[in-house]
Amino acid sequence: MLTLLTLSLFCLAAIPVLCVVLLLIGLPLAILLSLLPWLLRLAAVVLLVKGLLDQPFRLENLLPAAAALLLSVALRWIF
């Protein structure tokens, strides 16, 4: 049976380990989420040029570019 002292020592040892694990997971995730709107805008420009250069020109070819741009704006607004 765990005593209060053992449980306290376990919790004190777990706090720094948990902080390091959260830092190692959270920092790359934060960097990725900060770069994602810019990457989506770049993809929207590339998809727009591709849609404009497709032959024969159809409006449906521009839908992926519009979706990437709207997703970029939504992510920028949320974060």
Side-chain angles (χ1 to χ4, degrees):
M1 187 161 96
L2 290 175
T3 63
L4 186 59
L5 178 65
T6 308
L7 188 60
S8 299
L9 291 176
F10 177 73
C11 288
L12 284 175
I15 288 173
V17 172
L18 186 64
C19 289
V20 168
V21 168
L22 287 177
L23 179 72
L24 290 176
I25 292 172
L27 192 60
L29 187 63
I31 292 171
L32 177 68
L33 286 177
S34 68
L35 292 177
L36 193 57
W38 295 102
L39 293 175
L40 279 171
R41 287 185 186 172
L42 181 65
V45 169
V46 169
L47 288 170
L48 179 67
V49 169
K50 180 188 175 295
L52 289 174
L53 294 178
D54 277 349
Q55 294 295 330
F57 177 75
R58 291 190 310 222
L59 197 57
E60 296 89 27
N61 295 341
L62 301 179
L63 288 178
L69 186 63
L70 287 175
L71 188 59
S72 168
V73 169
L75 282 174
R76 193 78 163 158
W77 182 69
I78 291 171
F79 297 111

